[in-house]
Amino acid sequence: MFTLNQLTGFVAVAEEQHFGRAAQRLRMTQPPLTRQIQQLEKELQVQLFDRTSRTVRLTPAGRAFLQDARRLLHEAENAALSVRRVTLGQSGVIRVGFTATSAYGVLGGLLATVREHLPHVDVVLHELVTRDQAERLSGGSLDLGLARPPAARPELESRLLRAEPLLAALPEGHPLAAGSDPLDLSEFHGADVVMYSPTEARYFHELLVATFGRAGVQPTYVQYVSQIHTALALVQVGLGSALVPATAARLHLDGVHFRPLQLPEPDPVELHLVWRRANDNPALHALLDLL
């Protein structure tokens, strides 16, 4: 079968309509170019050029083959570029897991980074709680997670991406809803509070238990939920107040007021990048270098 060099020589001769000029364009001597064309015609079993002592013209078969030759050379060039991009992490697919609240505060910035710096990389998104992200990362069906700590698996690696404060989410008409000064945690002693599930939202459950515990505060937990937007929905209908990460305020729910808190640690809510140590996806590591 013909080679890319033969196609390149054929296109050059077809465009220059002269073997000598085509050879100069290809930075080679004329005899090897002539042999390339002869071998190509032998492979195709057709005559591509009508040759005289002064002119070189394409035959009807040559004119038809010129379009295919240009297309094949273009596809070969694109294939070479694509494989180099994959090797450099500039092309490919990254499967990203994210928690619901990270979609409001972090995910947009990550996608913007990919669009700007890795335009040939496709991102496939999966909304998953941290536990399910860890399962899929370990199993290899996810490349990167935006998850809550810890990533307590030896095959996973993590890096802090963002830390933020907790806010008090209060229903309209609540005595603490008015004002903008930071609230003392003692204000929640004995108060109705929507709490996070110890199994479905373990990270936030343990964070609030520790936060209230250090302050010596014992709220009345009126409901346990697994998602932050569910907690806000219950606040909205007046079931109680809730402590939520600051990014949750971007939901702008009617009837829910947010106030800052006086906390022993100013930014206790952490979000980590998590990935499998053995993941050899070049696009993943290119993105990690950018974040």
Side-chain angles (χ1 to χ4, degrees):
M1 184 52 68
F2 50 78
T3 66
L4 292 178
N5 282 339
Q6 290 171 347
L7 292 180
T8 301
F10 165 69
V11 170
V13 174
E15 291 177 349
E16 297 292 341
Q17 296 185 6
H18 192 281
F19 275 86
R21 289 195 298 270
Q24 290 178 350
R25 169 173 152 182
L26 297 173
R27 293 182 173 84
M28 60 189 301
T29 58
Q30 184 172 332
L33 177 59
T34 301
R35 288 194 295 270
Q36 281 186 3
I37 300 302
Q38 291 171 342
Q39 184 63 33
L40 178 61
E41 290 177 324
K42 182 178 178 181
E43 293 285 349
L44 296 174
Q45 298 181 3
V46 298
Q47 183 177 340
L48 298 171
F49 295 101
D50 285 326
R51 306 168 179 84
T52 69
S53 59
R54 295 184 178 181
T55 63
V56 176
R57 294 179 180 176
L58 286 166
T59 64
R63 288 195 296 271
F65 187 62
L66 180 59
Q67 294 182 358
D68 289 332
R70 285 170 171 161
R71 176 179 55 80
L72 289 170
L73 289 172
H74 181 68
E75 290 179 355
E77 181 181 357
N78 284 344
L81 289 173
S82 294
V83 74
R84 285 198 291 269
R85 285 186 185 129
V86 169
T87 302
L88 296 172
Q90 297 172 348
S91 181
V93 176
I94 305 175
R95 300 157 298 175
V96 177
F98 65 98
T99 61
T101 50
S102 68
Y104 302 105
V106 173
L107 188 60
L110 183 147
L111 294 176
T113 297
V114 172
R115 284 195 299 268
E116 180 179 357
H117 298 284
L118 302 170
H120 299 287
V121 171
D122 293 325
V123 178
V124 179
L125 299 174
H126 302 271
E127 183 179 346
L128 300 163
V129 296
T130 293
R131 181 190 62 234
D132 293 341
Q133 287 189 47
E135 288 289 340
R136 294 199 187 188
L137 287 165
S138 296
S141 62
L142 205 66
D143 294 304
L144 181 66
L146 302 177
R148 304 298 177 184
R153 295 177 180 230
E155 70 274 16
L156 299 182
E157 190 167 349
S158 67
R159 188 171 78 215
L160 177 64
L161 179 64
R162 177 175 180 162
E164 61 182 313
L166 284 166
L167 298 180
L170 304 154
E172 192 169 8
H174 192 283
L176 301 178
S180 58
D181 293 336
L183 291 171
D184 193 278
L185 288 172
S186 61
E187 299 281 3
F188 296 92
H189 188 75
D192 291 344
V193 170
V194 177
M195 184 50 156
Y196 301 98
S197 166
T199 55
E200 299 296 321
R202 179 181 173 185
Y203 172 76
F204 281 107
H205 178 86
E206 293 180 352
L207 176 62
L208 263 63
V209 167
T211 299
F212 284 131
R214 283 197 293 268
V217 173
Q218 292 184 337
T220 299
Y221 298 129
V222 294
Q223 190 61 258
Y224 290 85
V225 299
S226 61
Q227 296 288 344
I228 290 168
H229 59 263
T230 305
L232 291 175
L234 296 181
V235 171
Q236 188 180 35
V237 298
L239 190 64
S241 58
L243 268 58
V244 298
T247 48
R250 299 188 182 190
L251 289 172
H252 300 294
L253 289 180
D254 292 337
V256 178
H257 299 267
F258 296 94
R259 289 190 63 177
L261 295 164
Q262 294 179 7
L263 298 169
E265 184 181 343
D267 297 313
V269 183
E270 294 185 353
L271 186 71
H272 284 220
L273 295 169
V274 188
W275 65 95
R276 186 165 55 93
R277 297 178 190 274
N279 191 323
D280 61 356
N281 183 347
L284 166 67
H285 295 283
L287 177 58
L288 288 172
D289 289 341
L290 291 169
L291 295 177

